Amino acid sequence: MKITINGKICEAAEGQTVLDVARANGFYIPTLCYLSGLTPTGACRICVVEVEGMRNLVASCSAPATEGMVVRTDTERVLAARRFIVELLVSCHPLDCMTCEKTGDCTLQNLAYELGVTASTMVGEKYDYPVDYSNPFIVRDYNKCILCLKCVRVCNEIQGIEAIKTIQRGFDTKVATAYDTPLQESNCVFCGQCVQACPVGALTERKAKGLGRAWETRKVRTTCPYCGVGCQLELHLKGEQIVKITAVEDGAPNKGRLCVKGRFGYDFIYSEDRLTTPLIRENGSFREASWNEALDLVANKFKQIIAESGPDAIAGVSCARSINEDSYQMQKLFRAVIGTNNIDHCART
Amino acid sequence: MTNSFGEFADAKMFLCIGTNMTEAHPVASTFLKNALRKGAKLIVVDPRRQPLAKLADIYCQIKVGSDIAFLNGLMNVIINEGLYDKDFVENRCDNFEAFKAKIMEYPPERAAEISGVNVETIRKVAHMLATIKPAMLCYTLGITEHTTGKDNVMSTANLQLLLGNMGMPSAGVNPLRGQNNVQGACDMGALPNVFPGYQKVIDPAAREKFEKAWNVKKLPENNGMMMPQMMEALVDKKVRAFYVFGENLANTEPDIRKVEHELSSAEFLVCQDIFPTETTRFAHVILPAASWCEDDGTFTSSERRVNRVRKVKNPPGNAKPNWWIFKEIARRMGQEWASNSGPEIWDNEVSVLAPALGGIKYSRIENDGLQWPCPNTDHPGTSFLHRDGVFTHGKGIFNPVDWKAPAEVPDKEYPFVLSTGRRLYQYHTRTQTGRSGLDFLMPEETADISVADAQRLGIKPDERVKVRSRRGEVEVRARITDQVPPGMVWMSFHFREGSANWLTNAVYDPATLTAEYKACAVAVEKV
Ligand code: SF4
Ligand code: SF4
């Protein structure tokens, strides 16, 4: 079927929403509560558009595309509606963007900027919740929560954990664990999916604090170093420092999801305990050595043992954590150079 | 895995046996849960009522090590009630008659007696498997870490052949691999019997191929030793030099006392690692290595997907890439190797020598990885194996297998069965997670015991208990939980003090030499 968006005729398929078609054709429509892959709720209404023949503005995330539909995404009426929503949100927001972890990557900040919403437009009541710093991974500042409920939905519908939900009503509505306890006293598994979903500074990575602004970081895709699922990670880096890790949206196999180890288990590479120089045992303790000395020692000892006892007197195990290329090299060393098939790894664990 | 994680979300049915997916493969379990929300069915077979069991339509709490008896009993019902896929079995499989004869020795009553799952439940499972198809069978180390590990694996394959659940999406036999690159290390030939790409070392043609590629006169023609044999050979000096790359054997292998005796017997032990570990204590030379994020390469996941791993920082101090270290040793022993980076090793050697990886080149895996088999550069990769029931050897082969009890079973003196595994918040011997802040979520090891046993022994939550086996003892806090049935203790091996491996039994599956981490006998007492 065909629909018209801002004068352009666009191809649309059965089951696509107006938002899907608009985005596929390069039109910008902002969203706050929308989550790809989940049923849209249409709750935040920031994605409204004007549809010819309809009296009210339509939430594009939940409006199915229909044959011949004529849509406008940028009329003054649309912008005014969006501006009103953002003004309401800003009116009860702390506006400490200068020190907020989310600055530069905050949907609310971006919307206020592009719609020309300033702090002074409306003055509303603010929240006064204590900020939860009680765990080392997730900072929860519900003063900044815009109640898009993405966190609740990813926790329940994507991760299937059901650690958080909304409590109270009206102005006092708040996202919380079952008994409003800290996360570590709930069934939360610290996957951090809620943090990745949060469009504002309400949920942020504690380890990232102060390490770098969104515009200062480069993103590098890599693979998780833990279990055999092979989740695709996006490292947010400033220099050599990982500021935080998020999942690659739509990447196979994890489609934007991670667990606690993949998201938060990375600092070991910076540990003070790292081995930094070859060590050789001497009189019961280790002394530092150069690569030349250490490698000569290994090669000579191997040669000596081969000469005296044959190559099968040498055996080795490779590492199931390291890259393929390393295991390839090690088995090649054993087979082609030493001359033994005594090469294995912990394939069985 | 014959199939892929991407197929989880659309699966109609899962049979999960010996897999604690929500903790060991958390993200995989989220796709499974999404499928359940859409109406998929779940059967869980596990001695522990772990989180997956709580979501199951049918949960079978089998006794530790009774998998084959249970599965044979299940297949007995399926065959006797004519519920199997006759077309698939007749046209796509071999050896059905011999297999059937074996299965007839396991009427559900016998299976029930051995496994502790009652006959009605066994029948119910059979009926559910027969009506909802296909089912994805998933397993992890609960199947393999037994003295009957190989037979356990064959038994799961028998079931999927019998049901015709092979060669299509959302079906198959799916072992979830515990570590990021176990699959890859196997594919690369870090095994004593195969070259890269599973080409057998005893095959003269394969040897000739690699002799040419590696430019050497003669490659060794006999299978080498497996890891437990290597370690035992350290004691009788048949193995004089032992090269340990990145493994913390002193904590990960069963019976720590025995392992440490073996390591300390080594005439020459080389350890290549990123941290000093309990294992490097025994080394004669320690070589400091680059870690994750410090080198360009690939990991291969459980679903046979070759994924890129990227360098974003330099190794600390003088630490060097592992491939470089091996290359330098080769050079000192008289061989110059051309490849000089991970990408060169892969593109110019690995993918040239391993036919199933032939089409996987770095230029093709910039974004999503490719799943092998991928024989040429136009090939899109393979999401599920045995399409249309075509197997490597033509047909699927039924392997009749018998149940055997674990090597060590509870008795008067050691009345509990100890089973072990991984927990969500830690990983292996904590060399990584222990240095990443995760101790906050799991600060120490516990002995997980049932409410009934705790009451009987007068043990209160978090009280310290002593767990003893014939090999050693540990003192840890008790975690009283409904996950564990009476008569069982469950522990992990993440913390050196309190590691289950002080207790575990160093007995192995005769074919694969996988240790029986899942079953040994222990005593539990208050301290
Ligand atoms: S960290 Fe994960 S489990 Fe915890 S609240 Fe967030 S989404 Fe839910
Ligand atoms: S993020 Fe979690 S589930 Fe994914 S690969 Fe890493 S450890 Fe496995």
Side-chain angles (χ1 to χ4, degrees):
Chain A
M1 77 182 102
K2 295 200 174 358
I3 73 170
T4 309
I5 304 178
N6 297 353
K8 182 185 170 195
I9 298 174
C10 306
E11 198 54 54
E14 198 61 46
Q16 276 192 305
T17 62
V18 174
L19 179 68
D20 293 336
V21 182
R23 287 198 168 164
N25 284 277
F27 293 106
Y28 167 70
I29 298 177
T31 54
L32 280 171
C33 69
Y34 172 78
L35 272 164
S36 101
L38 294 186
T39 343
T41 56
C44 77
R45 296 200 55 87
I46 199 79
C47 68
V48 288
V49 294
E50 218 174 303
V51 176
E52 230 176 72
M54 297 217 195
R55 197 138 46 88
N56 295 329
L57 295 176
V58 171
S60 63
C61 69
S62 42
T66 56
E67 179 61 52
M69 209 175 203
V70 179
V71 178
R72 293 220 64 97
T73 65
D74 54 2
T75 61
E76 198 32 59
R77 198 174 151 217
V78 166
L79 296 181
R82 288 186 190 152
R83 205 171 287 128
F84 180 72
I85 295 166
V86 174
E87 280 181 3
L88 273 179
L89 293 172
V90 166
S91 73
C92 57
H93 207 78
L95 300 184
D96 60 350
C97 301
M98 194 188 277
T99 51
C100 179
E101 193 53 39
K102 197 73 176 179
T103 277
D105 187 29
C106 172
T107 311
L108 184 61
Q109 191 182 57
N110 292 346
L111 281 170
Y113 180 75
E114 75 189 39
L115 295 166
V117 174
T118 58
S120 59
T121 330
M122 251 193 250
V123 180
E125 196 183 341
K126 310 243 175 194
Y127 294 99
D128 189 19
Y129 297 121
V131 182
D132 177 7
Y133 286 109
S134 64
N135 75 76
F137 307 110
I138 302 174
V139 179
R140 301 156 77 216
D141 181 355
Y142 286 116
N143 302 302
K144 293 180 179 169
C145 173
I146 59 168
L147 289 172
C148 68
L149 304 190
K150 276 184 177 179
C151 57
V152 176
R153 298 188 68 209
V154 295
C155 185
N156 296 355
E157 295 173 48
I158 301 275
Q159 292 282 351
I161 300 296
E162 305 182 4
I164 48 175
K165 57 177 186 180
T166 50
I167 56 168
Q168 314 280 29
R169 301 223 159 189
F171 182 80
D172 292 327
T173 309
K174 184 187 160 197
V175 175
T177 61
Y179 301 103
D180 204 5
T181 56
L183 292 174
Q184 60 274 27
E185 288 160 38
S186 74
N187 55 343
C188 167
V189 293
F190 286 89
C191 66
Q193 207 64 37
C194 51
V195 182
Q196 186 170 322
C198 182
V200 296
L203 300 173
T204 51
E205 289 87 354
R206 174 126 177 224
K207 290 190 197 176
K209 219 165 179 45
L211 289 185
R213 287 303 197 183
W215 59 85
E216 297 176 304
T217 56
R218 66 194 158 106
K219 291 183 191 163
V220 177
R221 178 172 176 162
T222 195
T223 305
C224 175
Y226 287 102
C227 87
V229 176
C231 291
Q232 295 300 293
L233 315 179
E234 195 136 72
L235 310 176
H236 300 239
L237 292 143
K238 186 174 167 187
E240 288 202 335
Q241 178 64 47
I242 296 175
V243 174
K244 64 174 179 179
I245 291 179
T246 55
V248 176
E249 296 285 356
D250 293 325
N254 50 314
K255 308 268 181 230
R257 309 172 182 195
L258 290 180
C259 82
V260 58
K261 292 184 285 269
R263 195 183 302 274
F264 296 119
Y266 56 83
D267 337 49
F268 70 92
I269 56 175
Y270 304 105
S271 164
E272 289 288 311
D273 303 342
R274 286 288 301 273
L275 289 166
T276 56
T277 180
L279 299 170
I280 293 177
R281 177 189 294 277
E282 215 167 63
N283 308 323
S285 62
F286 290 104
R287 68 161 173 86
E288 295 190 356
S290 69
W291 274 106
N292 268 333
E293 188 190 4
L295 292 171
D296 283 343
L297 173 66
V298 173
N300 290 336
K301 187 77 188 177
F302 282 0
K303 282 192 246 176
Q304 179 208 334
I305 291 175
I306 294 170
E308 289 170 4
S309 313
D312 289 336
I314 303 177
V317 288
S318 186
C319 175
R321 220 67 79 65
S322 195
I323 53 176
N324 282 320
E325 291 77 359
D326 292 342
S327 273
Y328 173 84
Q329 291 285 93
M330 187 172 188
Q331 61 86 37
K332 184 176 171 184
L333 173 70
F334 271 73
R335 296 194 159 109
V337 181
I338 297 172
T340 177
N341 283 314
N342 288 342
I343 175 74
D344 200 2
H345 73 287
C346 61
R348 300 158 196 94
T349 52
Chain B
M1 285 167 63
T2 59
N3 289 59
S4 297
F5 293 117
E7 296 162 26
F8 273 40
D10 297 316
K12 289 194 230 156
M13 166 102 162
F14 295 90
L15 173 62
C16 293
I17 176 162
T19 172
N20 178 18
M21 207 189 291
T22 58
E23 294 198 70
H25 303 91
V27 169
S29 78
T30 69
F31 290 105
L32 182 148
K33 287 186 204 165
N34 296 162
L36 298 185
R37 265 184 167 249
K38 289 199 300 186
K41 298 283 181 223
L42 171 65
I43 298 169
V44 171
V45 182
D46 200 300
R48 278 195 312 154
R49 191 184 288 274
Q50 27 91 339
L52 218 50
K54 295 178 182 164
L55 301 171
D57 294 280
I58 308 176
Y59 167 50
C60 304
Q61 189 159 37
I62 61 166
K63 289 188 189 146
V64 173
S66 67
D67 307 71
I68 291 175
F70 173 82
L71 289 169
N72 279 356
L74 186 62
M75 291 189 277
N76 182 293
V77 176
I78 291 171
I79 293 176
N80 277 330
E81 297 190 15
L83 303 172
Y84 63 101
D85 186 334
K86 294 178 194 80
D87 177 54
F88 192 88
V89 167
E90 265 161 43
N91 298 311
R92 302 279 170 216
C93 304
D94 271 342
N95 204 30
F96 180 65
E97 287 312 317
F99 162 71
K100 183 176 167 185
K102 177 56 66 191
I103 293 298
M104 289 308 121
E105 296 171 20
Y106 289 84
E109 293 72 21
R110 181 174 174 216
E113 196 186 310
I114 298 170
S115 70
V117 179
N118 62 43
V119 175
E120 297 85 274
T121 307
I122 294 175
R123 283 192 203 284
K124 236 169 72 189
V125 171
H127 296 157
M128 192 181 262
L129 283 168
T131 34
I132 304 170
K133 289 170 89 161
M136 284 187 106
L137 186 149
C138 300
Y139 71 79
T140 307
L141 301 171
I143 281 292
T144 48
E145 288 182 347
H146 287 284
T147 41
T148 57
K150 185 175 177 217
D151 289 350
N152 286 355
V153 169
M154 291 200 288
S155 196
T156 63
N158 288 340
L159 177 64
Q160 288 297 63
L161 288 177
L162 192 62
L163 292 164
N165 286 338
M166 291 290 238
M168 58 184 113
S170 302
V173 178
N174 301 288
L176 274 59
R177 312 300 306 256
Q179 297 187 69
N180 58 333
N181 204 34
V182 207
Q183 183 65 53
C186 292
D187 300 348
M188 292 305 102
L191 291 171
N193 59 340
V194 288
F195 291 115
Y198 304 98
Q199 302 167 82
K200 293 195 165 67
V201 298
I202 55 167
D203 172 10
R207 284 202 306 275
E208 208 189 305
K209 170 179 172 177
F210 281 89
E211 281 159 3
K212 255 213 197 114
W214 291 340
N215 196 18
V216 291
K217 282 210 194 64
K218 198 170 167 322
L219 287 169
E221 43 193 59
N222 298 321
N223 288 337
M225 290 184 220
M226 290 190 255
M227 186 160 69
Q229 295 167 321
M230 295 174 182
M231 297 183 58
E232 277 163 18
L234 291 173
V235 180
D236 60 26
K237 309 289 178 198
K238 278 232 285 289
V239 166
R240 294 177 55 195
F242 191 33
Y243 195 150
V244 178
F245 164 26
E247 306 256 340
N248 191 6
L249 304 173
N251 282 10
T252 57
E253 300 311 294
D255 192 353
I256 290 179
R257 240 176 272 273
K258 170 174 179 281
V259 175
E260 296 199 336
H261 171 63
E262 290 163 348
L263 289 173
S264 63
S265 309
E267 177 184 327
F268 187 62
L269 179 65
V270 183
C271 286
Q272 181 168 316
D273 213 308
I274 62 172
F275 290 117
T277 65
E278 286 80 3
T279 306
T280 61
R281 287 182 296 144
F282 300 95
H284 297 88
V285 180
I286 302 177
L287 304 174
S291 82
W292 177 72
C293 279
E294 294 168 357
D295 202 5
D296 279 306
T298 52
F299 293 154
T300 306
S301 72
S302 300
E303 56 172 2
R304 298 166 278 103
R305 191 186 293 277
V306 180
N307 289 310
R308 275 286 268 119
V309 184
R310 289 187 171 85
K311 176 174 175 173
V312 298
K313 71 181 279 283
N314 288 311
N318 280 324
K320 293 282 189 190
N322 296 287
W323 58 263
W324 179 89
I325 301 173
F326 297 125
K327 182 180 153 117
E328 280 297 309
I329 296 174
R331 190 169 65 79
R332 285 169 165 79
M333 295 179 74
Q335 280 187 34
E336 293 285 346
W337 292 349
S339 301
N340 208 27
S341 69
E344 282 182 22
I345 292 167
W346 182 278
D347 281 354
N348 303 338
E349 299 192 46
V350 176
S351 78
V352 174
L353 291 167
L357 305 172
I360 305 181
K361 299 286 178 189
Y362 269 57
S363 59
R364 294 189 72 200
I365 52 171
E366 275 295 311
N367 296 311
D368 281 352
L370 282 165
Q371 291 175 279
W372 64 257
C374 178
N376 59 64
T377 48
D378 297 321
H379 197 283
T382 307
S383 62
F384 61 91
L385 302 177
H386 317 307
R387 184 181 284 270
D388 304 324
V390 181
F391 294 87
T392 325
H393 304 289
K395 288 188 170 184
I397 299 167
F398 283 108
N399 287 293
V401 290
D402 257 315
W403 169 78
K404 278 188 228 63
E408 189 180 70
V409 291
D411 54 22
K412 256 219 176 85
E413 206 182 334
Y414 298 97
F416 286 84
V417 52
L418 170 73
S419 205
T420 72
R422 299 186 172 95
R423 300 188 195 265
L424 174 64
Y425 296 125
Q426 295 290 3
Y427 190 75
H428 282 233
T429 62
R430 283 174 53 258
T431 51
Q432 298 174 188
T433 48
R435 294 180 172 97
S436 299
L438 288 162
D439 286 5
F440 173 81
L441 296 167
M442 185 192 167
E444 61 179 316
E445 184 51 52
T446 59
D448 297 4
I449 55 170
S450 69
V451 180
D453 286 329
Q455 276 168 357
R456 194 168 50 79
L457 299 169
I459 298 167
K460 294 195 197 66
D462 291 335
E463 224 167 28
R464 295 194 77 79
V465 293
K466 190 185 278 177
V467 187
R468 269 190 306 118
S469 80
R470 288 186 175 81
R471 290 147 302 271
E473 59 177 56
V474 293
E475 230 187 84
V476 290
R477 283 182 207 285
R479 179 169 162 260
I480 300 166
T481 166
D482 66 346
Q483 290 190 357
V484 173
M488 183 185 192
V489 185
W490 197 90
M491 294 177 69
S492 76
F493 61 110
H494 301 311
F495 290 82
R496 167 85 179 176
E497 335 69 58
S499 167
N501 283 331
W502 292 104
L503 311 167
T504 44
N505 195 7
V507 287
Y508 305 91
D509 178 284
T512 65
L513 295 198
T514 303
E516 192 151 65
Y517 290 100
K518 298 301 185 202
C520 73
V522 296
V524 179
E525 60 217 34
K526 257 173 94 143
V527 288

